[in-house]
Amino acid sequence: YTSQFYTVAIEEGAATSPFIIGGMQDNGTYMCLSSDPATPWATVGGGDGSYCAIPEGREFMLASTQQGKLFKAQVDDLGNVAQFERIDPDITVSYNFINQFVLDPATNNELYWAAGTKVYRNTDLAGIPYNNDYYEPDTTNWEVLSVAVGTARITALDISLAQPEALFYGTTSGRLYR
């Protein structure tokens, strides 16, 4: 009867869009499909729902689960997942249990991903094919960025639409970087 959202996101660039997505503790990822409050939300992901995003135009949606699993999926207007692909970078560092990512609001096609003391960037989300593979991540278009944080883990990422060339990231040491 009770659910707790870790994160919530609305469709990028569309202030009137009814599409909202949220990752819930122990209850997966759900998507709101209508501005009618009586319409039930659709389940679009499992596990511990985590960070999520909807690019403008809903060409795909992004949802992550515990331990850094990230998925790209096509979801129709009824909330049915038509196809999906696991797309987290194939790396050996440990992720945060609820691992941070941020979709670039200017391109809606690049993603920044925290992993330990590093930030990874996917330069072309739309270019990743769908294979409906839950277990093996497709590592297409990932690169590691050079960031300086010492030994602190990165725990927060954000990008401003007004200044999309600047990535902000915070760490376990309480410091904020740009």
Side-chain angles (χ1 to χ4, degrees):
Y1 294 175
T2 302
S3 293
Q4 175 179 316
F5 284 98
Y6 279 123
T7 66
V8 175
I10 62 170
E11 181 180 358
E12 289 287 335
T16 59
S17 172
F19 297 102
I20 302 169
I21 190 169
M24 291 187 256
Q25 180 183 7
D26 297 328
N27 289 306
T29 300
Y30 282 70
M31 190 169 179
C32 177
L33 308 167
S34 169
S35 57
D36 178 358
T39 302
W41 289 40
T43 305
V44 294
D48 274 291
S50 184
Y51 282 86
C52 44
I54 307 171
E56 185 173 8
R58 291 187 316 115
E59 181 181 339
F60 54 86
M61 64 113 214
L62 300 165
S64 60
T65 65
Q66 73 275 11
Q67 303 300 330
K69 295 175 188 78
L70 175 63
F71 297 90
K72 170 186 156 186
Q74 287 184 333
V75 180
D76 67 20
D77 289 346
L78 300 174
N80 300 308
V81 177
Q83 51 188 347
F84 68 93
E85 184 64 20
R86 183 171 164 192
I87 64 167
D88 47 284
D90 188 19
I91 54 179
T92 57
V93 300
S94 63
Y95 294 116
N96 295 322
F97 182 75
I98 299 301
N99 200 70
Q100 172 75 42
F101 77 78
V102 64
L103 181 66
D104 185 323
T107 69
N108 277 276
N109 194 40
E110 288 187 4
L111 177 127
Y112 295 84
W113 181 255
T117 61
K118 298 185 184 319
V119 174
Y120 291 80
R121 176 174 56 194
N122 190 295
T123 58
D124 184 13
L125 293 167
I128 300 172
Y130 293 101
N131 294 308
N132 297 322
D133 190 344
Y134 180 84
Y135 297 102
E136 294 297 322
D138 184 326
T139 60
T140 303
N141 304 323
W142 284 104
E143 62 187 20
V144 64
L145 301 182
S146 177
V147 298
V149 296
T151 59
R153 295 176 64 83
I154 297 169
T155 58
L157 296 170
D158 210 354
I159 301 171
S160 167
L161 183 56
Q163 198 176 23
E165 68 281 354
L167 172 69
F168 295 88
Y169 52 102
T171 67
T172 53
S173 68
R175 299 199 67 174
L176 179 65
Y177 299 87
R178 183 177 81 165

